[in-house]
């Protein structure tokens, strides 16, 4: 048996590896404190679950769903974009419901890349951008995101590469670094994309997971962006629906159409009750303060982690959005070694930065979608481990020497 060449080029999937590690250690009786995966600790809103229940007993919903996605969900997405971002969308042509943004990202690459085509992919980044490009036979050109602001430097991209590039993935607020951008950055990205005729994609997974109202602008709010932009928005994070598998892709009608062609061949639609429930989630969240309690909890947890590291000599700031803290490894370790140290000495599981790309190799990512008690446990365990081993803070706040 010989598997495809593509498979060889795919790095192991970080979170599958971490899950396996967690299962193995737990089977050996080790009590782990897991802070690695961003899967909200709260359940979906009760009214959203009620809608799912009501719709699940409706026999009409037991048939194959519509390829276009539920009209109500598309309309609700349009009105939500209007309220949240001041963006007007056509529910017929500019919105496509998906079974999660991870699969949408991979399918999007199938629609827009031919073998050998170049796609611009940030490093570090959520792994699925690179996966999607590789599975489509394309070539990822990595854009390093560096401290302190973790933005791509478009001038660093060689002109011949930019000319050949068909699309560019960006993701702000950012996983794993937690940085945010202003509309001015989207303007700059759009100008670059326009100069080289590139499709601009923002994976807006953390659009509503923010601690300041203005830190998560939609790329579609920039005038002229509709001519070449697409945005993914998942229900996994803000609505605590990670297991439900629901997201939307919105933006340029032709780009959405291309993605829809692939979806019609690969999927057979999304279970309607999930889409009705998603529409209800969007409707509920137009009320002010809908996200306030959970965002306050995330911020509080991030603050505790920041205080802990800074008390040991780090110089971290509390992120303005997301559920992540991107922490440079101590002076004499890289990110993989720090991950191993936290596991061996404190039973704490974090995501090694190397899992997000080469540029992440000197960091680890903490995730705060875990109960306050779990965060407290982790802080105590790390404090004991740090005291026992005399861990030293990184040489410089930006790890520039490494
Ligand atoms: C930036 C980013 N995009 C997409 C996803 C996946 O979202 P979904 O659950 O919709 O596949 C994640 C999950 O961690 C993410 O961080």
């Amino acid at each position: 048996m010989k598997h495809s060449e593509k498979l060889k080029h795919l790095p192991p999937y970080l979170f599958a590896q971490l899950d396996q590690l967690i299962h193995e250690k737990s089977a050996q009786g080790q009590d782990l404190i897991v802070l690695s995966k961003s899967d909200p600790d709260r359940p979906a809103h009760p009214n959203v679950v009620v809608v799912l229940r009501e719709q699940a007993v409706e026999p009409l919903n037991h048939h194959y769903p519509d390829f276009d996605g539920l009209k109500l969900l598309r309309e609700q997405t349009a009105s939500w974009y209007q309220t949240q971002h001041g963006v007007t969308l056509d529910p017929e042509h500019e919105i496509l419901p998906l079974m999660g943004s991870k699969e949408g990202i991979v399918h999007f690459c199938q629609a827009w890349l031919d073998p050998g085509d170049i796609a611009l992919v940030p490093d570090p980044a959520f792994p699925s951008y690179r996966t999607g490009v590789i599975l489509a036979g394309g070539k990822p050109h990595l854009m390093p995101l560096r401290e302190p602001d973790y933005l791509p430097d478009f001038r660093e991209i060689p002109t011949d590469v930019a000319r050949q590039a068909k699309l560019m993935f960006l993701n702000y607020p950012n996983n794993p670094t937690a940085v945010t951008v202003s509309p001015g950055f989207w303007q700059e990205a759009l100008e670059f994309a326009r100069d080289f005729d590139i499709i601009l994609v923002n994976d807006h997974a953390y659009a509503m997971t923010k601690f300041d109202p203005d830190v998560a602008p939609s790329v579609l709010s920039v005038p002229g962006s509709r001519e070449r932009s697409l945005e993914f928005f998942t229900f996994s994070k803000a609505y605590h629906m990670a297991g439900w598998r629901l997201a939307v892709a919105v933006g340029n009608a032709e780009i959405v159409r291309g993605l829809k062609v692939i979806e019609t061949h690969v999927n057979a639609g999304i279970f309607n009750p999930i889409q009705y429930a998603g529409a209800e989630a969007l409707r509920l969240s137009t009320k002010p303060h809908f996200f306030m309690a959970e965002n306050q909890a995330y911020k509080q947890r991030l603050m505790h982690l920041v205080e802990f590291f800074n008390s040991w000599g780090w110089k971290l700031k509390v992120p303005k959005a997301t559920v992540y803290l991107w922490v440079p490894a101590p002076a004499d370790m890289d990110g993989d070694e720090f991950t191993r140290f936290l596991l061996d000495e404190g039973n704490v599981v974090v995501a090694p930065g190397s899992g997000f790309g080469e540029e992440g190799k000197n960091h680890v990512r903490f995730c705060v979608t875990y109960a306050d008690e779990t965060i407290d446990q982790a802080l105590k365990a790390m404090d004991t481990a740090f005291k026992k081993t005399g861990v030293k803070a990184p040489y410089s706040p930006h790890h520039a020497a490494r």
Side-chain angles (χ1 to χ4, degrees), residues 253-330:
E254 183 52 20
I255 302 177
V256 168
R257 195 192 64 78
L259 174 55
K260 199 194 310 183
V261 172
I262 300 295
E263 290 292 338
T264 56
H265 284 276
V266 182
N267 284 328
I270 307 159
F271 188 41
N272 274 338
I274 290 179
Q275 299 192 68
Y276 278 110
E280 176 64 6
L282 292 176
R283 194 189 66 78
L284 285 169
S285 68
T286 49
K287 291 197 190 116
H289 309 310
F290 181 84
F291 300 103
M292 208 165 88
E294 65 168 12
N295 283 342
Q296 269 175 355
Y298 290 146
K299 186 175 176 188
Q300 195 82 27
R301 295 169 191 171
L302 288 166
M303 275 164 54
H304 289 152
L305 281 170
V306 167
E307 276 161 18
F308 169 79
F309 279 104
N310 289 357
S311 75
W312 281 92
W314 268 253
K315 298 206 165 32
L316 305 178
K317 291 195 184 118
V318 180
K320 292 184 184 149
T322 79
V323 288
Y324 304 119
L325 191 65
W326 186 236
V327 180

Side-chain angles (χ1 to χ4, degrees), residues 51 55 60-61 64-78 91-92 95-98 246-248 269-280 282:
V51 171
Q55 294 295 335
L60 270 181
N61 286 331
Y64 282 116
D66 203 328
F67 284 118
D68 293 337
L70 196 72
K71 189 160 181 263
L72 177 71
L73 176 59
R74 286 182 280 116
E75 286 173 353
Q76 204 64 60
T77 303
E92 282 296 307
I95 299 177
L96 181 66
L98 298 164
L246 187 65
V248 285
I270 307 159
F271 188 41
N272 274 338
I274 290 179
Q275 299 192 68
Y276 278 110
E280 176 64 6
L282 292 176

Side-chain angles (χ1 to χ4, degrees), residues 34-195:
V34 179
L35 299 181
S36 50
K37 191 158 148 186
S38 89
D39 188 352
D41 53 316
R42 296 168 189 219
H45 192 286
N47 296 15
V48 171
V49 179
V50 167
V51 171
L52 175 78
R53 279 215 189 106
E54 283 170 2
Q55 294 295 335
V57 294
E58 168 56 63
L60 270 181
N61 286 331
H62 297 189
H63 295 285
Y64 282 116
D66 203 328
F67 284 118
D68 293 337
L70 196 72
K71 189 160 181 263
L72 177 71
L73 176 59
R74 286 182 280 116
E75 286 173 353
Q76 204 64 60
T77 303
S79 83
W80 186 88
Y81 254 84
Q82 189 71 61
T83 320
Q84 304 291 357
H85 300 300
V87 170
T88 308
L89 291 167
D90 168 9
E92 282 296 307
H93 303 105
E94 294 179 326
I95 299 177
L96 181 66
L98 298 164
M99 271 196 260
S101 49
K102 182 174 172 183
E103 66 113 43
I105 286 162
V106 172
H107 291 160
F108 162 76
C109 293
Q110 296 288 337
W112 292 99
L113 293 175
D114 284 315
D117 281 347
I118 291 180
L120 304 175
V121 174
D123 177 4
F126 178 60
S128 296
Y129 314 136
R130 206 184 301 195
T131 304
V133 175
I134 293 171
L135 288 178
K139 288 194 212 144
H141 175 88
L142 301 178
M143 302 181 289
L145 307 185
R146 300 199 186 96
E147 297 168 272
D149 54 8
Y150 292 104
L151 300 179
D153 184 347
F154 300 124
R155 291 162 310 181
E156 267 186 12
I157 300 168
T159 308
D160 60 321
V161 170
R163 280 209 190 100
Q164 290 176 65
K166 289 187 77 178
L167 55 96
M168 170 164 67
F169 282 109
L170 292 171
N171 154 233
Y172 293 103
N174 185 256
N175 173 14
T177 67
V179 299
T180 59
V181 294
S182 64
F185 170 77
W186 286 130
Q187 186 65 52
E188 193 196 333
L190 185 65
E191 276 162 27
F192 170 77
R194 195 178 282 139
D195 286 348

